Amino acid sequence: MEATVGDKLLVHGRVVGIHDRTAEIIEVLGDHGEPPYRVRYEDDGHECLFSPGPDSVVRHLPAGPRR
């Protein structure tokens, strides 16, 4: 898994009644965009270190205009 600062991380709920959560990647601590990541959850603003598992998906930032 590779990500850059600003990408979104979608974490699927693994238990009935636990909803999916979305977090913004605010720091990449691994080499070449690999985990762990420092993330900020959108629903409550909580920040933590996160090493995504198979229940997580990175949503990359859209490419900006080319110069």
Side-chain angles (χ1 to χ4, degrees), residues 1-65:
M1 178 175 288
E2 292 183 20
T4 59
V5 172
D7 287 347
K8 302 292 182 178
L9 187 64
L10 174 62
V11 183
H12 296 289
R14 295 183 290 175
V15 179
V16 173
I18 302 297
H19 300 285
D20 294 351
R21 294 182 78 189
T22 303
E24 178 181 358
I25 297 173
I26 56 176
E27 185 178 5
V28 177
L29 300 167
D31 294 331
H32 310 290
E34 295 179 359
Y37 307 123
R38 180 172 304 281
V39 301
R40 180 182 304 120
Y41 286 97
E42 292 184 344
D43 58 353
D44 63 2
H46 177 78
E47 292 183 14
C48 66
L49 288 179
F50 190 80
S51 291
D55 59 341
S56 302
V57 178
V58 173
R59 303 282 187 215
H60 299 284
L61 285 173

